[in-house]
Amino acid sequence: MTQVSTQVTDHGGGVRSLRVPIPNNPLGYTLVYVVDTDSGPVLVDTGWDDPLSWDALTEGLVACGTTVGEIHGMVITHHHPDHHGLSGQVREASGAWIAMHEADISVVRRTRENRVERWYTYMIAKLAAAGAPDEHVATLRAIHPSALPGFSPALPDREIVPGELLTLPGRRLRAIWTPGHTPGHVCLHLEEAHPTQLPGNGRLFSGDHLLPGITPHIGLYEDPDDTTIADPLGDYLDSLERVGRLAPAEVLPAHRHAFPDATVRVRELLDHHDERLAGLRALLTTPLTPWQLAERMEWNRPWSEIPPGSRNIAVSEAEAHVRRLVKRGQAEAVTGSEPVTYVAV
């Protein structure tokens, strides 16, 4: 691994990464990967839709010896705006194709077809149903929906098919469906020898599925037009097992830094969620709403210091964990409770 500049890292074997900033976000940046192919460079993710991010992407590409106009295609791990936000601009500048898993293409399509106000009203109603206090809901109602990001995403023109090799001349990049963080999240297994001969099976572009030192957000899939009772945490745990069996030599994640030995990180994440589920079940000896449960869960800072937007994410994560307990037969909704409360069984 060679640090070409403060922004660009050469991972060897025709793979480089660019740090594309996420404005006003503690994650700091998205790692956008540039993969050389016989048809030209292909991006894995594109970064946040912001002028600062666009400048970082275009300048980073020049530092890699190419330009945005030479991009051949974009493989998007999932639909979130810090990964898919700049895809439309890259396509306009280059004519490149955009590929994404069908489940996330469906989310993008519905997002484009619905007015942002409908999504916002839906999310506020869900928070109220989860037991959010009136003052929190009032704070959300005061925000104009036009201020929210990610509601005009580019519509992909190619579908990533799980298990199949992507059409990238000169490379062997296989799609691995890893739902949980989103319904159509994919990891991408580069089935080629590691450039420094690290032991293991190639390299894995892991998106947000597998990150060093932090756990990805696993919340309920939010969609006003999809009434499926999904189990995102169950999806995620199954996906972790699938990735662990690949045993890649190195993981190239979308945030922080590359790291070896995916199997160790997979085990850590499985253990973390087992402990979290056990702790939540212990809390549910008394009936609690998802909001009350989130207040009592352990976060990286006290609940009183968590801002409103992050509290929304925390409640969604609490709901995903409760749904997993319900699916396991370890918790149930209290009949007639409104807002709904859950209790351990």
Side-chain angles (χ1 to χ4, degrees):
M1 183 187 299
T2 304
Q3 196 74 36
V4 177
S5 70
T6 56
Q7 184 193 3
V8 178
T9 301
D10 187 347
H11 299 274
V15 176
R16 295 168 297 282
S17 63
L18 316 177
R19 292 188 177 193
V20 177
I22 313 171
N24 304 311
N25 188 295
L27 279 173
Y29 54 85
T30 300
L31 289 171
V32 172
Y33 291 92
V34 185
V35 181
D36 292 339
T37 80
D38 292 347
S39 296
V42 168
L43 302 183
V44 176
D45 292 334
T46 57
W48 191 269
D49 183 6
D50 182 85
L52 177 67
S53 308
W54 174 254
D55 288 346
L57 177 64
T58 54
E59 291 167 11
L61 289 171
V62 170
C64 288
T66 186
T67 67
V68 68
E70 295 175 338
I71 297 304
H72 174 64
M74 292 161 277
V75 184
I76 308 302
T77 60
H78 61 294
H79 71 81
H80 286 166
D82 57 324
H83 297 257
H84 182 45
L86 288 173
S87 302
Q89 282 182 253
V90 174
R91 182 163 60 188
E92 288 175 12
S94 63
W97 46 262
I98 303 171
M100 188 182 287
H101 186 280
E102 184 277 331
D104 272 19
I105 292 177
S106 294
V107 175
V108 169
R109 185 177 292 110
R110 289 193 293 269
T111 302
R112 291 167 57 90
E113 292 172 352
N114 281 318
R115 295 174 66 241
V116 61
E117 289 82 4
R118 181 158 186 259
W119 281 84
Y120 197 54
T121 300
Y122 165 79
M123 289 189 287
I124 289 175
K126 278 184 64 68
L127 281 163
D134 292 343
E135 59 268 24
H136 180 80
V137 174
T139 299
L140 295 178
R141 293 189 192 281
I143 300 172
H144 197 278
S146 63
L148 300 173
F151 280 92
S152 298
L155 186 63
D157 39 58
R158 291 192 183 185
E159 181 182 332
I160 294 174
V161 179
E164 292 189 2
L165 289 171
L166 279 73
T167 309
L168 301 180
R171 309 306 301 242
R172 288 188 59 84
L173 191 65
R174 192 178 303 277
I176 311 298
W177 184 35
T178 50
H181 185 57
T182 71
H185 191 290
V186 293
C187 292
L188 302 154
H189 190 201
L190 191 59
E191 298 177 340
E192 301 169 12
H194 191 278
T196 63
Q197 304 304 311
L198 282 179
N201 300 316
R203 292 183 280 181
L204 186 77
F205 298 101
S206 66
D208 280 359
H209 185 68
L210 208 57
L211 301 169
I214 54 175
T215 58
H217 166 65
I218 308 297
L220 296 187
Y221 303 142
E222 306 289 1
D223 191 332
D225 288 331
D226 189 350
T227 57
T228 305
I229 307 299
D231 179 16
L233 183 55
D235 292 344
Y236 179 66
L237 298 176
D238 288 345
S239 299
L240 281 177
E241 299 272 13
R242 192 177 311 128
V243 165
R245 288 192 292 270
L246 288 176
E250 186 176 31
V251 179
L252 303 174
H255 303 287
R256 294 203 168 188
H257 55 80
F259 62 97
D261 207 344
T263 54
V264 170
R265 186 63 185 138
V266 165
R267 187 70 263 161
E268 289 172 350
L269 288 165
L270 290 170
D271 291 345
H272 164 79
H273 284 288
D274 280 346
E275 292 169 8
R276 205 157 178 78
L277 286 166
L280 266 60
R281 192 179 183 206
L283 289 172
L284 290 175
T285 52
T286 300
L288 296 172
T289 66
W291 181 277
Q292 291 169 332
L293 189 58
E295 287 180 313
R296 291 159 173 78
M297 289 170 68
E298 184 176 331
W299 305 103
N300 61 0
R301 52 190 153 166
W303 184 258
S304 61
E305 297 176 13
I306 298 178
S310 297
R311 288 185 179 190
N312 300 341
I313 294 171
V315 171
S316 181
E317 191 156 319
E319 289 183 294
H321 280 74
V322 167
R323 188 165 290 180
R324 178 89 289 257
L325 289 174
V326 170
K327 291 274 189 179
R328 286 180 171 181
Q330 295 177 329
E332 64 184 10
V334 176
T335 304
S337 58
E338 190 177 343
V340 63
T341 60
Y342 293 88
V343 66
V345 294

